[in-house]
Amino acid sequence: MVADALVYHPTVSHYLKFVATTIGRDKVLRTLQYFSRFLAWYLYRTNRPLSTIAPFDATKKQLGTARKLMRVGKFVEHFKAAAVASDSTSLDPVIKATSVGRQLGYAFYMLFDSANILDATGIKKNTHSVKLLRTANQAWLSGISFSILQSLYALYGLRSRSATVAASSDPEKVVEQKKVAKELNAIKVQLVSDLCDITIPATALGWVQLDDGIVGLAGTTSSLLGVWSQWKKTA
């Protein structure tokens, strides 16, 4: 009876839906990858023996490679999303432009990342790997930048809309208030996630000087936000 109660518990069904999605699995692996990066840095800074640091360093590298393999070919999805946004006639012009920029940035990031997969997995060395990684990080940073601009613009518009709705005494506006509040919360989460994520390519490109501890914590934070968002979507 206890086993049946556990097997048929709604949380178990929810969990199965979550892990059935590629995004769900990727976000969990990403959380472990960047937290391992932080732990490896922390243990090194506290003068722990290399035997203690090695497992976390290996986890960081192996999960990074596994995630690269999982997203091979995913650039097609982003190119399609960019085309759909470009063809849309209902989107706000600024939202439309930033959506196209964001999706193209992510598409080229994953394209160049996939082009370097043989070198990343150690199957075959590529003499252009350094250039490919740099170009991929530039595209990733570009995509995140467009996402941040879109969030800031949407946040400004929703706050104005929220003020207008709040000023109304119409009882029917209560539903609208809840809808705006939900959208505001989603945009804030996305903005925080993007601000954390932008530290990764910016550091890789040498545009900012951040150590692995800060980058690891930033990546862990954005990954946990991604896990939480995907968990809600699969509810």
Side-chain angles (χ1 to χ4, degrees):
M1 294 296 291
V2 175
D4 287 343
L6 290 173
V7 169
Y8 294 105
H9 195 279
T11 303
V12 175
S13 298
H14 188 179
Y15 165 77
L16 292 174
K17 288 180 182 179
F18 175 78
V19 296
T21 64
T22 303
I23 294 176
R25 294 195 302 273
D26 178 69
K27 294 302 181 184
V28 171
L29 293 178
R30 192 176 191 270
T31 301
L32 295 174
Q33 176 192 351
Y34 280 98
F35 190 60
S36 295
R37 182 171 179 173
F38 165 74
L39 284 177
W41 169 87
Y42 175 77
L43 293 171
Y44 177 78
R45 290 294 298 269
T46 53
N47 298 316
R48 300 299 176 88
L50 292 178
S51 58
T52 304
I53 301 171
F56 297 105
D57 195 46
T59 299
K60 173 190 72 175
K61 292 175 181 177
Q62 295 300 329
L63 290 184
T65 302
R67 292 184 58 244
K68 284 178 182 288
L69 288 167
M70 286 174 63
R71 60 176 179 256
V72 169
K74 198 172 185 294
F75 60 87
V76 177
E77 175 187 330
H78 291 284
F79 275 125
K80 180 180 178 180
V84 171
S86 178
D87 292 339
S88 176
T89 56
S90 60
L91 285 176
D92 176 283
V94 176
I95 296 295
K96 181 176 181 176
T98 51
S99 292
V100 172
R102 175 191 180 191
Q103 295 297 339
L104 286 177
Y106 291 155
F108 281 111
Y109 160 58
M110 292 188 180
L111 175 63
F112 289 114
D113 193 55
S114 296
N116 196 48
I117 193 65
L118 293 180
D119 184 272
T121 54
I123 296 173
K124 183 179 180 181
K125 288 297 178 183
N126 188 341
T127 55
H128 302 291
S129 63
V130 174
K131 186 176 181 180
L132 284 171
L133 285 175
R134 183 169 182 83
T135 306
N137 278 311
Q138 288 173 337
W140 187 15
L141 191 142
S142 174
I144 297 173
S145 298
F146 276 112
S147 184
I148 289 172
L149 289 173
Q150 184 181 91
S151 293
L152 291 173
Y153 177 79
L155 197 62
Y156 174 78
L158 280 173
R159 281 182 172 171
S160 300
R161 183 173 153 200
S162 179
T164 303
V165 173
S168 175
S169 58
D170 189 349
E172 294 182 2
K173 294 294 182 181
V174 174
V175 176
E176 181 70 12
Q177 289 174 7
K178 291 182 178 179
K179 182 180 177 182
V180 171
K182 186 177 180 180
E183 289 178 12
L184 275 170
N185 184 61
I187 290 172
K188 288 175 182 177
V189 169
Q190 183 63 51
L191 183 58
V192 171
S193 180
D194 287 336
L195 290 173
C196 288
D197 277 345
I198 204 169
T199 63
I200 303 169
T203 301
L205 291 168
W207 293 4
V208 295
Q209 301 299 320
L210 300 175
D211 57 40
D212 270 8
I214 294 175
V215 174
L217 282 179
T220 301
T221 301
S222 63
S223 300
L224 286 172
L225 289 173
V227 169
W228 177 67
S229 296
Q230 187 62 19
W231 182 262
K232 287 176 63 181
K233 287 179 182 178
T234 54

